[in-house]
Amino acid sequence: MKLFKWLFLLALIGAVFGGAYYYGNELFLKPRREIKDARNAPPPEPPPPPPDPSLPDVEKALALVSEGKQTEARALLEQILVTHPESTRITDVKKLLGEININDLFSPSPGPAKTEYVVSKGDSLAKIAGKTKSSAELIMRANNMDSTMLQIGQRLIVPQLPFTLLVDSDSKTVVLFTEGRFFKEYAATFFKVPGGKPPAPVTLAVTEKLAWLNGQRVAFGSKEYLDSTRWIQLNRTGITLFGNNPADATAARPATGIGLAPEDMEELHTVAGRGMVVELR
């Protein structure tokens, strides 16, 4: 009988302490372990991104380019920029559209934004540029001219696109627009604007186009001009667009401004004209 009582007592004690352990574990220890495990667990895999709806149009534009259908490709690429600005291929779209636009601008082929001009007595590239509101440098490049010399009766293709420029402090890019439409984007190799990013967009203008070679200014049309470093000065001190080759320590460059690859700056210098509107933001 005593043995039975002891066994009953031990069973009762076990039940009490076992229950206490169970409820203590469930109420206190288990939640703490779960919290600790959750903290140490690797973060969950993010859900896969939704499919990019612009990809079929991008592939179609590439096919049009390969087929030589530049006009159709340009229209489709411009549409992608408007309807799919968050496209995963937006950089490729801008690059391809910029190449199509600049190649067409610099070609002697007629177009809706070009006019034909017949050289008459007393004409010079500067006079023709003034009459047609174009750029002497652009006229020369669009007609594949290697000299500024003209002949009476010579027929010239004159591009007449009204360009504006956007200098973006966030993306460190210089973007060329025509009538509000994207034309071409250039990535800056140097970007240092006095005062940093402006709190609100600032409207500036081109005041002068310069060319430098071996520390000396050279004139458009001279034999030294082709090898020169191009600058575009704006109407704010310390903001100059310039050709910048980081590997060339001897090249002239301002202390502040926006530097572009020399070939990009040559394109932009050709297109820009005095008074061209430039927005800095």
Side-chain angles (χ1 to χ4, degrees):
M1 181 65 80
K2 289 184 178 181
L3 178 61
F4 176 77
K5 290 181 177 179
W6 279 107
L7 290 175
F8 177 77
L9 183 60
L10 289 173
L12 182 61
I13 292 171
V16 171
F17 281 100
Y21 172 79
Y22 173 79
Y23 286 108
N25 180 67
E26 290 295 318
L27 294 175
F28 300 103
L29 299 179
K30 186 176 179 181
R32 291 182 179 180
R33 285 197 303 270
E34 290 176 348
I35 293 173
K36 183 178 179 181
D37 292 342
R39 288 175 178 173
N40 295 331
E45 292 290 331
D52 187 340
S54 73
L55 295 184
D57 284 342
V58 174
E59 295 303 319
K60 183 178 178 181
L62 290 171
L64 288 170
V65 171
S66 66
E67 295 168 9
K69 299 177 179 178
Q70 307 295 322
T71 302
E72 294 91 333
R74 178 192 288 114
L76 184 54
L77 291 167
E78 288 179 343
Q79 178 184 333
I80 294 170
L81 283 183
V82 174
T83 58
H84 302 292
E86 303 301 325
S87 169
T88 57
R89 299 287 299 277
I90 202 67
T91 300
D92 297 330
V93 169
K94 288 181 177 180
K95 182 178 180 181
L96 183 56
L97 180 55
E99 289 174 353
I100 291 173
N101 286 337
I102 206 73
N103 288 339
D104 180 65
L105 180 69
F106 289 162
S107 76
S109 59
K114 298 177 179 180
T115 188
E116 186 178 74
Y117 184 91
V118 180
V119 178
S120 60
K121 185 177 180 181
D123 272 339
S124 66
L125 282 177
K127 286 183 179 180
I128 296 171
K131 291 178 183 178
T132 59
K133 297 182 180 180
S134 187
S135 155
E137 193 171 0
L138 179 54
I139 295 171
M140 187 173 177
R141 181 138 181 194
N143 291 276
N144 295 324
M145 298 168 61
D146 54 12
S147 168
T148 58
M149 298 296 293
L150 299 173
Q151 295 180 349
I152 296 175
Q154 183 178 355
R155 295 181 179 274
L156 300 174
I157 293 294
V158 180
Q160 294 177 299
L161 291 175
F163 288 108
T164 58
L165 207 59
L166 168 65
V167 177
D168 193 310
S169 301
D170 290 330
S171 61
K172 304 294 188 293
T173 56
V174 176
V175 188
L176 194 62
F177 290 89
T178 177
E179 298 181 325
R181 300 194 314 274
F182 174 92
F183 193 84
K184 189 169 183 180
E185 181 176 270
Y186 302 95
T189 58
F190 176 87
F191 200 103
K192 188 176 181 181
V193 176
K197 177 183 176 180
V202 178
T203 301
L204 306 172
V206 173
T207 56
E208 193 170 7
K209 295 166 56 175
L210 308 173
W212 299 87
L213 184 64
N214 299 325
Q216 301 292 324
R217 285 187 60 174
V218 296
F220 168 67
S222 66
K223 63 179 182 180
E224 296 86 4
Y225 188 80
L226 291 177
D227 297 321
S228 66
T229 299
R230 315 294 168 80
W231 288 20
I232 298 175
Q233 287 189 339
L234 307 184
N235 58 341
R236 174 168 289 194
T237 303
I239 303 183
T240 299
L241 304 174
F242 62 96
N244 178 50
N245 181 0
D248 185 0
T250 64
R253 58 172 61 88
T256 60
I258 298 94
L260 303 176
E263 61 274 16
D264 289 344
M265 190 61 210
E266 184 179 336
E267 281 186 6
L268 197 57
H269 194 270
T270 299
V271 170
R274 288 188 180 184
M276 185 173 77
V277 174
V278 180
E279 181 178 295
L280 171 64
R281 68 181 184 196

